[in-house]
Amino acid sequence: MRFLIVRTDIRAVADGDIAAAWADGHRLRDETTAPEPRRQIVHAEDRDAALLLARALATVGAVRAGKQRVKVLPLIEPRPAFRHRPGRIGT
């Protein structure tokens, strides 16, 4: 399985917004509609390589200071397209 390692900026959030999101039960951040700005993107072919790269990116000063974060995301392999073969039933 392939992985994507991303270093992003952390968006600042006001304390009032955190309290309102907690009280209303909704998400403060929705990465699907408004992802954090990306600083660096790296690909890895397996989990061990991805974690090694993530550890290396975590040594960056901005990550250690809490201004950026490192994310490891698995990439789903696309399924091969089904091809119909004329004259063959069930295959």
Side-chain angles (χ1 to χ4, degrees):
M1 177 181 282
R2 293 178 40 197
F3 290 85
L4 187 67
I5 301 93
V6 184
R7 184 169 54 99
T8 64
D9 290 332
I10 297 175
R11 289 185 297 242
V13 179
D15 289 339
D17 294 340
I18 295 171
W22 184 265
D24 295 339
H26 69 275
R27 291 182 179 179
L28 184 61
R29 296 183 172 114
D30 187 0
E31 291 292 316
T32 59
T33 59
E36 294 175 333
R38 295 178 180 172
R39 290 292 181 176
Q40 190 172 13
I41 301 169
V42 183
H43 295 272
E45 292 298 322
D46 60 29
R47 184 175 181 264
D48 291 335
L51 293 176
L52 183 66
L53 288 167
R55 277 189 229 112
L57 289 176
T59 63
V60 172
V63 176
R64 292 174 54 109
K67 296 178 182 177
Q68 296 178 351
R69 75 176 93 223
V70 177
K71 301 173 186 177
V72 177
L73 308 167
L75 297 176
I76 299 172
E77 299 291 332
R79 288 186 173 181
F82 176 76
R83 293 187 226 180
H84 176 69
R85 295 181 184 170
R88 301 189 86 176
I89 299 173
T91 57

